[in-house]
Amino acid sequence: MTAFTSGIENINLDESGTPQAETKAATFKSASSSIYDFAAGMSAKGELWNWGVHNSEFVAEIEARLPGFTEYGTDGFSEQLYYLALRDLPKGLESCDGRTVLEVGCGMGEGLNFLSRLVPTARMTGLDLAPKAIASATATLSRGDTLRFVQGDAEELPFEDSSVDVLVNIESSHTYPNLGRFLREAARVLRPGGALSHIDVFTRQRLQAMRRITAEIPELEWVSDHDISDQVRAAVRRRMAPGSRLRRNLNKQRMNWLARTLALHSQITVFGGTFADYQPPASVKMLSRLGLVPPMDSLPMESYRHQIAVRV
């Protein structure tokens, strides 16, 4: 999540391999894993997986494949973002039939589980750094070779060379201390002709860094780079709106008004509120001034992008 971005920005720009950079990276990975493990322990079934997108065409296309996909437990925005990850591959969603799909940064596995329903013939593996998230995904979602989960590091993927057809990375790489190392690992495990579908939020500085790094990895040919910020903001604003599923679910919880207000503020902030111009209520601003609520200061997120590379 972007709560980590202010800490990672400088790590990505350090000279790779220096003792200072390696120490920072190890500390950051440990903290990141612990935070996601905590999140896994708080929820048996994740309802929000990412900031999401809203696109009426995506809704209709998913509905044709999975009728009623928004009627049970989620608002459908996270699903639309996962759908986009495969929909816009060079050969489309159907190119995943019978193929090996790897998600790096799968969290509790809900997104990959959704993709496994869209492409039931694919062999899907999810990898995440957080052990408890992987344990939860394995216990609740795994289905033999069709859908499995492994704990591991995005910068040291525990897979053989040329063993993956499609690698998906959604709203995760901004937490990696060494983006170049991850991209080189992605190139290593992808088969020739395989595709990397990369989706994330960017500051201007990080986008410049990524473009510099990708130019140094000739094994990956970047075939598209789409700014999907408007679709992301549309999803976030719908989540924030009165009467949204997020608000209705919170209203069902047994908590006092202040606790509910803070819970809503926390959810909105973590899932892209600042990017969508969220303004906290006066009560939250007052608590922030008193130091009782963490400040919302963060690096300016300039764009949210979907980028696709093909392994040459």
Side-chain angles (χ1 to χ4, degrees):
M1 296 301 167
T2 53
F4 303 141
T5 307
S6 59
I8 206 65
E9 199 76 26
N10 290 328
I11 297 174
N12 275 331
L13 298 178
D14 280 343
E15 292 184 15
S16 61
T18 65
Q20 180 186 18
E22 294 300 323
T23 299
K24 274 187 179 182
T27 301
F28 189 85
K29 286 181 182 179
S30 177
S32 176
S33 176
S34 296
I35 290 170
Y36 282 109
D37 271 345
F38 176 77
M42 292 292 289
S43 174
K45 180 178 174 62
E47 184 171 319
L48 305 179
W49 320 328
N50 50 56
W51 293 7
V53 296
H54 174 67
N55 183 308
S56 57
E57 290 184 13
F58 296 174
V59 174
E61 291 170 12
I62 299 171
E63 188 72 26
R65 293 174 178 268
L66 300 174
F69 83 98
T70 61
E71 296 177 11
Y72 302 99
T74 74
D75 54 28
F77 301 130
S78 292
E79 286 94 333
Q80 290 179 59
L81 190 61
Y82 268 85
Y83 176 65
L84 173 63
L86 299 188
R87 176 189 189 270
D88 283 4
L89 290 173
K91 297 182 180 179
L93 190 71
E94 286 69 22
S95 66
C96 297
D97 284 334
R99 302 294 184 177
T100 299
V101 178
L102 169 65
E103 181 185 8
V104 175
C106 67
M108 294 179 64
E110 296 288 353
L112 195 62
N113 181 52
F114 172 72
L115 291 185
S116 75
R117 296 166 59 209
L118 284 176
V119 192
T121 62
R123 300 179 300 279
M124 298 197 173
T125 300
L127 174 139
D128 201 273
L129 188 62
K132 289 183 180 177
I134 289 299
S136 174
T138 298
T140 61
L141 300 174
S142 61
R143 300 191 304 277
D145 291 338
T146 300
L147 180 62
R148 67 188 186 100
F149 300 92
V150 298
Q151 193 274 336
D153 191 328
E155 296 176 12
E156 297 180 41
L157 295 176
F159 305 102
E160 295 181 358
D161 296 358
S162 303
S163 59
V164 173
D165 295 300
V166 176
L167 194 155
V168 175
N169 186 250
I170 297 178
E171 207 171 282
S172 179
S173 71
H174 65 266
T175 68
Y176 303 164
N178 192 316
L179 178 62
R181 189 174 294 170
F182 159 64
L183 292 174
R184 289 182 179 88
E185 279 290 273
R188 179 184 65 80
V189 302
L190 281 170
R191 293 189 176 97
L196 165 62
S197 184
H198 177 264
I199 299 177
D200 212 348
V201 63
F202 288 90
T203 62
R204 179 178 300 178
Q205 182 185 32
R206 186 168 178 273
L207 183 58
Q208 291 173 345
M210 180 166 182
R211 287 175 172 165
R212 184 185 70 247
I213 292 166
T214 56
E216 299 170 354
I217 307 176
E219 297 87 352
L220 293 175
E221 178 185 358
W222 294 86
V223 297
S224 65
D225 182 352
H226 295 148
D227 187 334
I228 58 171
S229 299
D230 288 345
Q231 296 177 56
V232 173
R233 291 190 178 101
V236 175
R237 286 168 180 156
R238 281 168 171 77
R239 277 193 177 134
M240 295 190 297
S244 69
R245 182 184 293 273
L246 173 62
R247 289 179 181 267
R248 293 199 309 271
N249 286 345
L250 278 175
N251 288 337
K252 295 175 184 177
Q253 304 299 316
R254 297 184 63 181
M255 59 179 74
N256 60 42
W257 170 82
L258 180 59
R260 183 174 289 110
T261 298
L262 292 178
L264 178 63
H265 168 73
S266 175
Q267 292 272 46
I268 288 175
T269 302
V270 168
F271 287 96
T274 304
F275 188 66
D277 303 319
Y278 163 66
Q279 294 298 318
S283 56
V284 172
K285 290 181 179 179
M286 179 186 69
L287 292 172
S288 180
R289 287 194 295 270
L290 295 173
L292 301 176
V293 175
M296 290 181 58
D297 297 336
S298 64
L299 293 170
M301 300 301 158
E302 185 171 81
S303 63
Y304 197 110
R305 315 185 78 84
H306 182 203
Q307 302 157 314
I308 296 177
V310 173
R311 175 67 163 89
V312 297

